[in-house]
Amino acid sequence: MMNYKAYCYIIFLALCCTGCHSIKVNHTKMHTAVTNPIALGVIGLQKGDVYASDFQVTAIPEYKTEIRVQITKENFNRTTFDTYLKAAKGNEHKINYVDSLEAKPQFVILELLDRVALMAEIEEAHNTKTLRYIKSQKEAGIVTSVSLAISQELIQELDNADVVFLNNSAYKQYQLSLVKEGETYKTIDFAKTSIFGYTLSYFCWRENDKRQITLADIIDEKSSCSKNTYRDAEKALENMNYFKL
């Protein structure tokens, strides 16, 4: 009986530890960002076990072409607010959340919308090292959406924009460019935000018309590559060589 109780207790702790490292935001399961800085568009490896879960940034692509970003506003709930507090120790954005009040403060979800442009940019010459890396590391994922806290003033600025883009503010530093009537009128550095959740996407590979291995798609974390495309670039190469025989 004691062994059975001990076993149940261990399973309970494991489930608790695992659950602490993800949150549900707008019906989407997101990893929580606490220990390491995360930014939209970076590439890295998701590490974790029942005791810890973390994302290690391993490559920072250069986005010379702006990538369209979708903006969604969400109300904080108790879970997302507590996760924010862990990521932004000291509540740097001075967000006031009270369970009993009907009106709740808001946060923002940013998602890379134009994945065709994203793939094209990763395949550009200035990202040669990044492309070589993700070809050799099938577990490498790219951060394609983030939940972040910013001031209410900046949320209003995002509301005012006709379109928002991700691009480089400096070497290996990203920013959001807010555009209205065809002109950029404001930029927001990620340093001014507190990212507390993120989702990952992964790369699919295929043979092109020139019998080269190229990027075929960027898929959500729980999705599978489509027919004749592969998460493992080496597997795509093996299949290409097989059909040559």
Side-chain angles (χ1 to χ4, degrees):
M1 179 64 71
M2 289 300 294
N3 287 340
Y4 176 77
K5 287 183 177 179
Y7 175 78
C8 290
Y9 182 68
I10 291 171
I11 294 297
F12 173 76
L13 285 179
L15 290 172
C16 287
C17 289
T18 303
C20 287
H21 300 106
S22 66
I23 51 174
K24 185 163 282 191
V25 178
N26 194 21
H27 308 294
T28 300
K29 189 175 181 180
M30 305 189 87
H31 300 281
T32 57
V34 177
T35 57
N36 284 338
I38 299 291
L40 193 64
V42 298
I43 292 170
L45 301 173
Q46 182 69 26
K47 303 288 187 178
D49 52 33
V50 297
Y51 301 106
S53 181
D54 212 348
F55 184 75
Q56 177 187 357
V57 176
T58 53
I60 304 176
E62 186 176 357
Y63 297 120
K64 291 186 177 181
T65 299
E66 296 178 321
I67 309 298
R68 178 81 177 268
V69 174
Q70 178 175 283
I71 309 295
T72 307
K73 294 187 297 183
E74 283 287 318
N75 290 335
F76 275 105
N77 58 33
R78 173 48 61 186
T79 300
T80 53
F81 184 68
D82 287 345
T83 305
Y84 154 71
L85 289 178
K86 291 176 183 176
K89 296 175 175 62
N91 191 6
E92 61 181 311
H93 299 289
K94 309 302 180 194
I95 296 172
N96 184 32
Y97 177 89
V98 180
D99 264 328
S100 58
L101 294 181
E102 184 176 349
K104 299 292 192 294
Q106 292 182 315
F107 63 93
V108 172
I109 304 169
L110 307 178
E111 181 178 3
L112 293 176
L113 192 60
D114 191 345
R115 298 197 180 188
V116 173
L118 180 61
M119 287 191 295
E121 190 67 4
I122 290 174
E123 289 189 304
E124 287 289 346
H126 51 267
N127 282 316
T128 298
K129 291 181 180 179
T130 296
L131 186 64
R132 188 183 305 128
Y133 168 73
I134 60 176
K135 271 186 179 179
S136 66
Q137 177 54 266
K138 70 176 183 178
E139 298 303 323
I142 181 169
V143 177
T144 47
S145 72
V146 293
S147 289
L148 57 81
I150 52 177
S151 68
Q152 294 303 302
E153 289 79 11
L154 287 181
I155 290 179
Q156 186 59 53
E157 292 280 9
L158 289 170
D159 267 347
N160 293 337
D162 292 335
V163 64
V164 177
F165 293 102
L166 173 74
N167 58 12
N168 287 90
S169 60
Y171 180 65
K172 295 194 174 183
Q173 294 182 34
Y174 299 156
Q175 68 179 12
L176 298 173
S177 293
L178 282 59
V179 176
K180 193 172 184 65
E181 297 180 353
E183 298 290 335
T184 298
Y185 70 92
K186 189 175 184 64
T187 59
I188 299 174
D189 292 330
F190 279 96
K192 295 180 180 178
T193 74
S194 294
I195 293 175
F196 58 88
Y198 62 96
T199 61
L200 295 172
S201 296
Y202 290 88
F203 303 98
C204 296
W205 305 89
R206 70 179 172 198
E207 175 191 4
N208 67 10
D209 294 338
K210 298 179 180 179
R211 306 191 72 81
Q212 299 168 326
I213 299 303
T214 59
L215 269 176
D217 202 358
I218 297 176
I219 59 170
D220 294 336
E221 188 166 9
K222 300 300 182 182
S223 299
S224 299
C225 293
S226 59
K227 186 178 180 180
N228 295 327
T229 68
Y230 307 89
R231 277 274 301 270
D232 188 343
E234 288 297 323
K235 189 171 182 180
L237 181 61
E238 287 170 9
N239 278 272
M240 181 178 77
N241 289 336
Y242 172 79
F243 287 116
K244 278 183 178 180
L245 299 177

